[in-house]
């Protein structure tokens, strides 16, 4: 009996839902779920959730407290629907502050534990800045798992592996966006997609050197990108693209396969090497900065909503 592509994908890759929509999670039954400030904003604006959000806002001592309360409340609901990890993001405002990121991560974990969700179920999501990676390294030493997001460059992937983070989220679609803006006439489909090429390079580097860090492709623009990365450790996918995969009865070929480590782990990337590599990579530098700004834009909208509900 023919299987749809989503079912086939689940046999070779751990499928993660990129949403805060509980109904979508129930429908597609992913293993994990990821959220970010934009998705939390969407979930918070849902009419059926408004009363609960207002209650949390009024109970909070300040707006940061309210933000974390809402994120953990939604994350706790999601944790009851998926067997694996739930990713919850530290405020993008703290992307360049290691200690503040650590403090906020500890607060999120404490909130989850008060809700009966153990730290083994949570990935603290942090932007892949040098400061964010240092915070993640410390959190991992404390037994708190991390997801390094807004990852666009090989240097970011190297530094994350050096830090021993649990999982990275290399962005596919946003890389494609940048290259399409540079050359709108270029054919960047399929194997030529620079976002696909970036994830494939990272995956092969990690497996070839025996890194334990999980590679989770993210930010997909179309199902072709997902299919080109079938076999990746994890892929986090929006409900719209999950729907398309579930309706497609075509055959799905596994494109990425883990091989045994053939070489030893190289020397860790020094801070000056990391910063120089980022400086040399215009796409990664621009998309990282833009991504942080976009998350903060949606966070500010959520802050305004919570402020209004607190009155």
């Amino acid at each position: 009996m023919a299987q749809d592509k989503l079912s086939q994908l689940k046999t070779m890759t751990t499928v993660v839902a990129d949403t805060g929509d509980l109904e979508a999670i129930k429908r597609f039954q992913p293993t994990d779920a990821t959220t970010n400030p934009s998705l939390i904003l969407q979930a918070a604006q849902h009419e059926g959730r408004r009363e609960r959000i207002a209650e949390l806002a009024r109970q909070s001592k300040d707006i940061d407290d309210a933000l974390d309360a809402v994120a953990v409340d939604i994350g706790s609901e999601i944790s009851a629907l998926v067997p694996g990890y739930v990713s919850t993001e530290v405020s993008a405002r703290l992307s360049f502050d290691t200690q503040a990121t650590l403090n906020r991560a500890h607060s999120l974990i404490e909130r989850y534990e008060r809700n009966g969700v153990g730290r083994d179920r949570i990935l603290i999501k942090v932007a892949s800045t040098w400061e964010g990676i240092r915070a993640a390294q410390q959190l991992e030493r404390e037994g708190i798992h991390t997801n390094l997001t807004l990852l666009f460059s090989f240097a970011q992937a190297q530094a994350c592996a050096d830090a021993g983070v649990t999982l990275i989220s290399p962005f596919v679609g946003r890389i494609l966006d940048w290259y399409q803006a540079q050359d709108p006439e270029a054919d960047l489909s399929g194997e030529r997609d620079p976002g696909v090429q970036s994830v494939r390079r990272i995956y092969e580097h990690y497996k070839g050197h025996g890194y334990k860090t999980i590679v989770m492709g993210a930010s997909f623009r179309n199902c072709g990108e997902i299919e080109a990365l079938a076999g990746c450790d994890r892929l986090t996918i929006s409900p719209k693209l999950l729907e398309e995969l579930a309706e497609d009865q075509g055959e799905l070929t596994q494109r990425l396969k883990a091989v045994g480590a053939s070489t030893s782990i190289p020397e860790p990337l020094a801070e000056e090497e990391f910063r120089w590599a980022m400086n040399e990579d215009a796409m990664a530098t621009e998309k990282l900065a833009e991504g942080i700004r976009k998350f903060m834009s949606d966070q500010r909208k959520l802050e305004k909503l919570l402020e209004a509900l607190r009155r």
Side-chain angles (χ1 to χ4, degrees):
M1 182 178 173
Q3 278 191 315
D4 62 80
K5 284 185 178 177
L6 180 58
S7 297
Q8 294 175 66
L9 183 63
K10 286 181 177 180
T11 68
M12 57 189 82
T13 289
T14 299
V15 172
V16 181
D18 195 14
T19 183
D21 182 341
L22 301 182
E23 292 307 313
I25 292 169
K26 288 175 186 175
R27 180 177 177 199
F28 295 111
Q29 299 184 320
T31 300
D32 302 346
T34 60
T35 63
N36 61 43
S38 304
L39 296 174
I40 293 294
L41 174 63
Q42 290 173 19
Q45 291 172 318
H46 192 277
E47 195 59 42
R49 196 183 288 277
R50 183 59 66 95
E51 190 174 326
R52 174 61 177 163
I53 298 297
E55 179 187 354
L56 291 169
R58 288 192 293 268
Q59 291 173 352
S60 301
K61 65 179 185 289
D62 57 33
I63 201 64
D64 285 342
D65 192 45
L67 284 168
D68 285 357
V70 169
V72 170
D73 193 67
I74 292 171
S76 297
E77 285 191 62
I78 293 172
S79 74
L81 301 176
V82 299
Y85 290 124
V86 175
S87 289
T88 298
E89 193 149 347
V90 169
S91 169
R93 190 179 277 121
L94 308 179
S95 296
F96 304 101
D97 189 331
T98 297
Q99 188 56 53
T101 296
L102 287 169
N103 295 343
R104 203 67 172 267
H106 292 146
S107 172
L108 288 167
I109 289 295
E110 287 166 9
R111 286 176 185 276
Y112 270 115
E113 290 178 338
R114 287 200 297 271
N115 281 8
V117 182
R119 65 179 58 191
D120 60 313
R121 296 287 315 284
I122 303 303
L123 290 176
I124 295 295
K125 207 169 173 187
V126 183
S128 300
T129 58
W130 181 258
E131 295 80 5
I133 295 168
R134 298 282 66 75
Q137 184 174 39
Q138 178 58 36
L139 290 170
E140 294 285 353
R141 288 170 179 161
E142 298 171 13
I144 296 172
H145 301 301
T146 58
N147 170 354
L148 274 289
T149 188
L150 293 175
L151 194 150
F152 301 97
S153 76
F154 191 70
Q156 287 173 296
Q158 285 180 290
C160 287
D162 294 339
V165 309
T166 297
L167 179 149
I168 61 167
S169 296
F171 279 32
V172 178
R174 295 195 196 185
I175 292 177
L176 174 63
D177 294 345
W178 191 89
Y179 282 98
Q180 284 183 326
Q182 305 305 305
D183 187 357
E185 302 303 317
D187 179 5
L188 301 177
S189 60
E191 299 295 321
R192 289 180 288 274
D193 187 312
V196 168
Q197 292 172 354
S198 174
V199 175
R200 185 167 292 167
R201 180 187 178 196
I202 291 166
Y203 180 88
E204 291 173 352
H205 178 75
Y206 276 21
K207 303 313 174 187
H209 289 290
Y211 289 110
K212 302 298 184 188
T213 297
I214 296 164
V215 180
M216 182 175 75
S219 167
F220 293 106
R221 294 292 176 261
N222 54 68
C223 286
E225 291 177 324
I226 295 167
E227 292 180 35
L229 292 173
C232 192
D233 297 332
R234 281 168 164 77
L235 297 174
T236 182
I237 306 169
S238 69
K240 176 180 179 292
L241 295 180
L242 287 171
E243 176 83 44
E244 288 183 26
L245 290 167
E247 292 179 350
D248 190 338
Q249 297 295 318
E251 185 177 350
L252 182 66
T253 302
Q254 184 167 345
R255 302 292 184 88
L256 274 61
K257 294 182 180 179
V259 294
S262 57
T263 53
S264 59
I265 290 176
E267 284 294 309
L269 203 63
E271 179 177 356
E272 60 271 21
E273 294 173 312
F274 174 87
R275 294 197 185 280
W276 180 252
M278 288 295 289
N279 183 71
E280 289 287 275
D281 190 334
M283 177 276 295
T285 298
E286 291 172 23
K287 297 308 286 186
L288 173 60
E290 178 189 73
I292 291 170
R293 288 195 299 270
K294 282 186 173 179
F295 280 163
M296 267 314 302
S297 175
D298 282 338
Q299 183 176 312
R300 289 189 186 101
K301 291 174 187 173
L302 181 56
E303 288 171 354
K304 285 184 179 178
L305 173 64
L306 294 173
E307 286 283 13
L309 292 173
R310 276 164 58 79
R311 296 191 188 109

